Every structure is written in structure tokens, then in C-alpha cells.
Amino acid sequence: MNGRSQYLPGEGRVVALCGGVGGAKLAVGLQHVLGERLSVVVNVADDFEHLGLHISPDLDTVLYTLAGLSDPVRGWGRSDETWNFMEALKQIGGETWFLLGDRDVAMHVERTRRRSSGESLTAIASDIARRLGVRSVVLPVTNDKLSTMVDSSEGELEFQRYFVGRRCEPVVKQIWFNGARNARLSEEVLASFDAEDLRLIILCPSNPYLSIDPILAVPGMAEKLRATSVPVVAISPIIDGQAIKGPTRKIMDELGLEPSNAEIARHYAGLLDGLVIDSADAAGSADLGVDVHPAPTLMTDLQSKITLAEHALAFGESLRAKHERRSRPPSKGAHHDDT
Ligand code: FO1
């Protein structure tokens, strides 16, 4: 399928559910095609308090990436960063396991100040997005506290302690989301799903277990996906039988899951109409239980991000006709872990 010929630019809105680095790459491609018609709903379960600051890693990754300010090598933080703050902190014996660049610190200080004075994460993100020249709408999934927790070979770890502090080395036994039971979808997120001209919902190729599941864990989100009258399309993080990005493969192994598109389709069962898989995995993908669209999913430069976005949008359009009358089975995924 040629994405360009089948998507109708200029019509309707698209909502994308997104984690950090991997998902933000696709968001860049989607923003290029859709501009302000894109709403990116971002995971906030990686957020934590550190050095007295409220850090929102995935939100900042999406904001910096869509503003063209992110570091192209790390994927997180800002490009042209300096590290005087960290060096000075180290000198006086402060905590340095989590790196905060000098420019990035401004974001955390300002967000912390505005939250203390009563502003919501949503309002702050929206204002900062505008100031940074981001064209799309960037929405934290909730303004409430939501925290990914990892039960590991080293006991219970808060997400950033596992991910950054221990570099994902401990064996993962279970993942859950503290606060999920009481978290509420923000009004702006609800409005983005209820928009009359909503045309498509996309699950970005973020880590399903660490980045998309916490979004789905907020009460009402999975129901929105099941009940929506527009197609829901996910982009698989599997390329050539491997999970390309970060610790996805390791976590799947540890949770006893095979790193395959079949497993990704099973994980999102009941929520999806279609799965974009990598062209390298096209053979043997007929029986995944959802419509499948092969495309080049490795995003190395701007053009590959735009091309994948165009494929996802064109695939979504092709599913709209089929989608008129459908009845989805209940989700098999248990997305409401809590303590
Ligand atoms: N990731 C790292 O691997 N090491 C870091 O020191 C680190 C610092 C950091 C600071 C601000 C920020 O917004 C993100 C940062 N990240 C860092 C990335 C981030 O913690 C993870 O990639 C995500 O939480 C997973 O999506």
C-alpha cells in the first residue's frame, strides 16, 4: 500500500497513545502529516520526585522531540546539553544516578513551581508545548499520581530505580501501576476521544508493558478503545522477530512471552482493529486475529518517521470501511493492576 495515495490529508483528528523515545519518533512523523490535528496522549507512570523536582520523562521526551529539541543520540533530554549542574552536585556529594542536564533542569524546576502553585500537569504541558512551538496537542494521560512498579529479582523497585538506576538488569517478575485504580483520565484526554471529527486512534511502537499498559490502566481508557467508532491501529515494536527498542525483548523473555507479533496482537486483544508489522515479518503474519499491514517500521531519520506515519494513517483509512459494524471481544489483557 502506498500511504500517500490513500490517506486524505486535511480531514479529521488522530489520537496517538505514546511512551517515551520510540513512540515520540512516530509522533514526529504523525505531526509532520497532521500538525495540530494530532493529539498525543502520553504515559506519566514514569514520573517521579527527584531532588525535590517533579520529573516527567516521557512527557518531556515527547515535548522536546516534537519541538525538535531532543538529543538525537540519547533520545531523552535536550540536544546541545551541558552538565555543570550534575558536576557541581557530584562535587558536594549529591545523588547523580539520574542525569539532569543544565537546560533540562529548567523544565523540572518550572514544572515543579507551577504544580506547587496549583496548576495541573495538563495545563503546564500545554503552555510549554505552545512556547516551544509544538504544533500538536500533547496531553498527559492523567493529572493524578500514577507510578510504574517492578517486582524484580532485587525486590520491589520504583520504575526509574529499575530503568536508570539499575539499567534494567534485575529480572522482571511482574509490573504494576500504583494509583491506577483512582487515576482519572483528564478532561482534555476524554475530549480528544469524543471529538466529532476523530478519525483514527494509534498505539505508538512504545514498550507495550512499560509505556502503553500504564495508559491503558487508567480507568476508562481501555473502554474508550473498545467503544470507539473509529479504527484502533497499533504499530508493533517487533522487527525481524526481535523487539528493537530498549528492554522490550529482555522483559518479554523474563515474563515468559515470545518476542513476536503474535504476542503483541494477543497483548492488545480486544482493543485493536489493525496491527502494523515490519515488512521483514510479513511472511507468516496472516493469522494474528487482527488485520495486518506490513511497512518499514525502523525509524532512523525524519523521512522514515513520516513514511511510517503515512502507512499507519493509510491503514487506518482502509479499516474505516470494515469498521462500520464490528463487535470486539472483551480484552484478555489485565490492565488494571494496582496495590
Ligand atoms: N535515561 C537514562 O537512561 N539515564 C538517565 O540518566 C536519564 C535521565 C533523564 C532525565 C530526564 C528525562 O526526562 C529523562 C531521562 N532519562 C534517562 C530517560 C527516561 O528516564 C527513560 O527513557 C524513560 O522513563 C523510559 O521511557
Side-chain angles (χ1 to χ4, degrees):
M1 178 189 295
N2 175 347
R4 280 187 192 83
S5 64
Q6 299 208 15
Y7 182 62
L8 310 171
E11 288 179 30
R13 300 197 59 82
V14 172
V15 171
L17 309 191
C18 187
V21 179
K25 287 185 186 178
L26 179 63
V28 165
L30 291 168
Q31 176 177 253
H32 189 92
V33 180
L34 298 164
E36 57 286 345
R37 290 185 293 122
L38 172 66
S39 297
V40 188
V41 174
V42 185
N43 172 37
V44 294
D46 295 12
D47 290 23
F48 73 132
E49 297 290 326
H50 183 58
L51 308 177
L53 301 172
H54 181 101
I55 317 279
S56 289
D58 284 359
L59 203 48
D60 289 349
T61 296
V62 170
L63 286 170
Y64 290 149
T65 305
L66 291 180
L69 296 172
S70 66
D71 183 272
V73 177
R74 290 192 308 273
W76 53 267
R78 294 187 60 151
S79 57
D80 300 323
E81 191 56 282
T82 54
W83 303 94
N84 297 305
F85 171 72
M86 285 321 281
E87 279 161 27
L89 189 62
K90 187 175 178 188
Q91 204 173 29
I92 58 171
E95 274 190 58
T96 56
W97 62 274
F98 193 81
L99 300 175
L100 297 176
D102 298 336
R103 290 168 198 268
D104 190 31
V105 163
M107 179 70 98
H108 311 306
V109 169
E110 179 61 0
R111 176 169 37 230
T112 305
R113 181 194 71 76
R114 291 175 71 161
R115 284 187 82 241
S116 318
S117 68
E119 278 188 71
S120 70
L121 202 56
T122 302
I124 300 165
S126 157
D127 182 55
I128 290 177
R130 184 183 57 77
R131 288 171 187 273
L132 295 181
V134 173
R135 290 160 65 214
S136 306
V137 179
V138 177
L139 299 172
V141 62
T142 179
N143 290 306
D144 297 321
K145 192 166 160 54
L146 183 64
S147 308
T148 299
M149 300 295 298
V150 179
D151 184 17
S152 78
S153 49
E154 296 179 6
E156 195 175 300
L157 296 171
E158 288 177 350
F159 179 73
Q160 296 298 345
R161 285 284 174 187
Y162 159 77
F163 194 90
V164 175
R166 292 289 299 114
R167 296 192 204 93
C168 304
E169 282 168 21
V171 174
V172 174
K173 296 179 185 167
Q174 207 192 339
I175 298 164
W176 74 99
F177 310 111
N178 262 349
R181 198 170 295 149
N182 296 319
R184 293 153 301 172
L185 296 170
S186 73
E187 280 174 26
E188 293 79 359
V189 167
L190 287 169
S192 73
F193 282 101
D194 293 341
E196 263 182 27
D197 59 346
L198 180 65
R199 205 165 174 102
L200 176 65
I201 298 169
I202 293 177
L203 274 55
C204 288
S206 304
N207 185 313
Y209 313 96
L210 295 177
S211 298
I212 301 294
D213 276 5
I215 298 177
L216 298 175
V218 179
M221 177 57 83
E223 289 72 12
K224 281 275 173 208
L225 298 192
R226 282 191 207 104
T228 183
S229 61
V230 304
V232 180
V233 164
I235 289 76
S236 174
I238 303 289
I239 298 185
D240 202 10
Q242 302 284 323
I244 194 74
K245 174 53 195 60
T248 309
R249 169 70 195 262
K250 179 173 181 286
I251 290 170
M252 290 183 87
D253 284 348
E254 291 166 357
L255 293 176
L257 306 169
E258 60 166 25
S260 67
N261 285 317
E263 186 52 53
I264 301 296
R266 248 193 309 278
H267 186 72
Y268 290 136
L271 304 177
L272 291 188
D273 298 287
L275 184 66
V276 177
I277 61 165
D278 191 72
S279 310
D281 299 310
S285 65
D287 239 1
L288 298 186
V290 285
D291 281 271
V292 165
H293 174 82
T297 62
L298 185 63
M299 293 174 281
T300 49
D301 57 10
L302 178 61
Q303 188 51 56
S304 55
K305 293 166 194 165
I306 296 169
T307 300
L308 181 55
E310 288 174 336
H311 271 281
L313 295 168
F315 183 37
E317 284 304 303
S318 76
L319 292 173
R320 280 172 67 85
K322 292 181 89 171
H323 191 269
E324 302 282 57
R325 282 251 42 88
R326 74 173 166 181
S327 61
R328 289 176 167 152
S331 170
K332 290 177 200 154
H335 291 299
H336 288 81
D337 290 344
D338 204 350
T339 48

